[in-house]
């Protein structure tokens, strides 16, 4: 007779990990809105705003694989603890420089890069920890709750960032530093190990890339995610500029993105039910076509609130994709290379994010908001066509079967 598994809501360690990350994500979202507003206030240049986003997100391109190797070799919990400590210190220097009125653009770029390196490492360790903190039968549900956490943090944090920036330019960054300390406290209370027992041995940096490349479905979906992430980062800056053209204040910009995040929260809550009813192929093809058809609507809306509603529809789709694909990847990946596989996938999928920020800034400067939106729409429709005709997507595997096989191994 198999032992009864307690429900996820009674998993103390998962709840601590979830709540600490929720608080730090709240602060990160507040500062994510404050960063471009700060650079635009200091320099008045969309190119500088795009450059700051590029530098802050550059670690997602160049540091994913080394971070994954580090997470596989070192104690994952300790890695996360040190990331929180150092992120709080880094963002604290930016807040202090603002208070002392000595902040410069190079300082902003340096803090953004350092925080980006530490965030990449933290997120890989946290993702690799989930299968060791929850039972395999709870994996999809846990990931949907993590998605809801991230979307909820965006829903509350982005409007809060605009409000805090209106109170004082340093305020959102001080708040962000404090949230990292809360996350640190929650990690110190967790009892479970974040990795399976393993021997100390040399870590092959290429192991994650090699393993991922041999998985046709994961390889294709990783490249599709890269393409959509490129679009959404460029679109983020475009939407801010369009909202500003409508006369939106920093507070209203934050509220607009908070409204969009509501769609993400609803998508996260719906993800487990939709995942059970939809095949992996339908999720992948449907998500890309939904995004491709929604992007041009950014040009057709009359005010920031409706703009936020369109963005909310795009955000609803993302969690369904993320839960299904992430659950499959975590279920089929051996634990001893989990960090490196996550790093390899992240290098491709999120490496496009800084490029989107940089090129979005230049596109706004050179061709304007309207032409930029049309270019992004063509890009996204091209990805939807690729997803539709891909043999790897057409022969998509079963998530339920992968999770069941992992549960059998645990038993």
């Amino acid at each position: 007779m198999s032992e009864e598994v307690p429900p996820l809501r009674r998993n103390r360690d998962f709840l601590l990990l979830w709540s600490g990350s929720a608080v730090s994500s709240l602060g990160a979202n507040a500062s994510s809105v404050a960063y471009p507003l700060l650079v635009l206030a200091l320099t008045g240049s969309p190119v500088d705003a795009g450059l700051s986003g590029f530098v802050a997100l550059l670690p997602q391109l160049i540091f994913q694989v080394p971070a994954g190797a580090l997470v596989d070799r070192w104690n994952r919990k300790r890695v996360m603890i040190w990331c929180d400590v150092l992120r709080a210190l880094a963002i604290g220097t930016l807040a202090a420089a603002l208070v002392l009125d000595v902040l410069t653009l190079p300082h902003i770029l340096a803090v953004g890069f350092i925080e980006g390196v530490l965030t990449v490492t933290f997120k890989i360790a946290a993702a690799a920890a989930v299968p060791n903190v929850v039972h395999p039968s709870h994996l999809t549900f846990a990931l949907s709750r993590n998605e809801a956490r991230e979307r909820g943090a965006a829903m509350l944090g982005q409007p809060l960032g605009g409000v805090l920036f209106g109170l004082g330019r340093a305020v959102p960054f001080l708040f962000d530093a404090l949230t990292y300390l809360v996350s640190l406290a929650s990690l110190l209370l967790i009892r479970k190990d974040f990795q399976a027992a393993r021997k100390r041995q040399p870590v092959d940096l290429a192991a994650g890339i090699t393993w991922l490349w041999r998985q046709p479905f994961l390889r294709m979906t990783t490249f599709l995610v890269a393409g959509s992430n490129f679009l959404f980062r460029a679109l983020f800056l475009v939407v801010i500029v369009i909202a500003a053209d409508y006369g939106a204040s920093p507070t209203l910009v934050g509220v607009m993105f908070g409204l969009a995040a509501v769609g993400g929260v609803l998508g996260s809550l719906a993800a487990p039910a939709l995942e059970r009813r939809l095949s992996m192929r339908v999720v992948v093809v449907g998500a890309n076509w939904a995004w491709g058809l929604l992007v041009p609507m950014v040009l057709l809306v009359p005010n920031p609130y409706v703009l936020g509603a369109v963005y909310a529809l795009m955000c609803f789709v993302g969690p369904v994709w993320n839960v299904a694909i992430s659950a499959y990847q975590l279920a089929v990946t051996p634990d001893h290379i989990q960090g490196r596989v996550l790093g390899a996938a992240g290098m491709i999928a999120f490496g496009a994010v800084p490029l989107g920020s940089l090129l979005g800034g230049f596109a706004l400067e050179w061709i304007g908001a309207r032409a930029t939106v049309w270019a992004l729409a063509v890009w996204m429709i091209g990805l939807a066509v690729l997803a539709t005709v891909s043999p790897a997507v057409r022969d998509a595997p079963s998530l339920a079967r992968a999770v069941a096989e992992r549960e059998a191994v645990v038993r």
Side-chain angles (χ1 to χ4, degrees):
M1 183 176 179
S2 61
E3 183 181 351
E4 184 179 354
V5 180
L8 189 65
R9 67 177 180 274
R10 289 170 51 194
N11 186 327
R12 172 186 177 275
D13 290 331
F14 173 75
L15 294 178
L16 282 168
L17 179 62
W18 188 94
S19 58
S21 295
V23 173
S24 64
S25 292
L26 183 69
N29 275 280
S31 63
S32 73
V33 171
Y35 267 116
L37 292 173
L38 176 63
V39 174
L40 287 171
L42 288 176
T43 70
S45 169
V47 172
D48 285 342
L51 177 62
S52 68
F54 170 76
V55 171
L57 297 168
L58 186 60
Q60 298 197 36
L61 174 62
I62 65 175
F63 204 72
Q64 294 272 0
V65 171
L70 184 152
V71 164
D72 281 339
R73 183 169 179 81
W74 291 4
N75 183 289
R76 290 171 184 165
K77 189 187 302 182
R78 290 178 188 168
V79 167
M80 294 170 69
I81 287 170
W82 277 109
C83 285
D84 274 340
V85 170
L86 296 174
R87 286 191 294 182
L89 290 173
I91 203 75
T93 68
L94 191 151
L98 272 168
V99 171
L100 298 172
D101 197 25
V102 294
L103 184 65
T104 63
L105 182 60
H107 188 171
I108 296 173
L109 299 181
V111 170
F113 183 81
I114 292 168
E115 189 178 12
V117 168
L118 296 168
T119 297
V120 164
T121 307
F122 183 95
K123 287 188 173 182
I124 290 177
V130 172
N132 298 287
V133 175
V134 306
H135 191 269
S137 62
H138 293 156
L139 184 58
T140 300
F141 194 54
L143 291 177
S144 75
R145 291 301 172 260
N146 284 352
E147 277 289 323
R149 177 193 69 203
E150 295 304 312
R151 307 291 175 158
M155 180 179 67
L156 299 174
Q158 291 179 349
L160 181 61
V163 171
L164 294 177
F165 190 84
L167 295 176
R169 293 179 180 178
V171 177
F173 303 105
L174 286 170
F175 176 74
D176 192 15
L178 289 174
T179 63
Y180 288 136
L181 298 180
V182 173
S183 174
L184 170 63
S186 71
L187 287 170
L188 294 172
L189 294 172
I190 294 176
R191 297 169 185 162
K192 283 185 180 178
D193 290 329
F194 286 1
Q195 65 274 322
R198 58 193 178 188
K199 296 179 181 178
R200 294 278 291 194
Q201 55 185 355
V203 173
D204 179 7
L205 282 174
I209 298 173
T210 302
W211 187 92
L212 182 66
W213 189 258
R214 292 172 179 169
Q215 311 293 317
F217 177 73
L218 289 177
R219 183 177 68 230
M220 174 54 66
T221 53
T222 298
F223 281 111
L224 288 171
V225 171
S228 60
N229 281 345
F230 171 88
L231 173 137
F232 278 111
R233 191 61 202 183
L235 194 63
F236 178 78
L237 188 57
V238 171
V239 168
I240 289 178
V241 171
I242 291 175
D245 289 342
Y246 286 142
S249 66
T251 298
L252 183 54
V253 170
V255 170
M256 181 185 69
F257 281 112
L259 178 63
V262 173
V265 173
L266 295 176
S268 302
L269 297 176
L274 291 174
E275 176 273 315
R276 289 193 298 269
R277 289 168 173 76
L278 302 177
S279 69
M280 296 276 269
R281 183 189 179 203
V282 170
V283 169
V284 173
V285 175
N288 281 276
W289 275 111
W291 290 326
L293 296 175
L294 284 169
V295 169
M297 292 183 65
V298 169
L299 295 175
L300 305 177
V301 296
N303 61 57
Y305 293 108
V306 183
L307 188 59
V310 172
Y311 215 63
L313 291 174
M314 298 184 199
C315 293
F316 179 88
V317 177
V320 182
W321 168 292
N322 289 343
V323 168
I325 305 304
S326 297
Y328 177 76
Q329 180 181 318
L330 290 171
V332 300
T333 305
D335 184 74
H336 71 281
I337 62 167
Q338 192 74 261
R340 281 165 288 174
V341 171
L342 288 166
M347 178 185 67
I348 300 168
F350 297 107
V353 172
L355 297 177
S357 180
L358 183 66
L359 293 179
F362 278 112
L364 285 167
E365 187 86 1
W366 292 341
I367 64 176
R370 178 170 290 273
T372 300
V373 171
W374 281 117
L376 293 174
V378 171
W379 172 264
M380 193 66 240
I381 290 173
L383 291 177
V385 171
L386 177 61
T388 303
V389 302
S390 167
V393 175
R394 186 171 58 247
D395 300 327
S398 166
L399 171 59
R401 180 177 177 182
V403 172
E405 288 175 352
R406 186 180 184 96
E407 184 175 353
V409 170
V410 171
R411 287 177 177 173

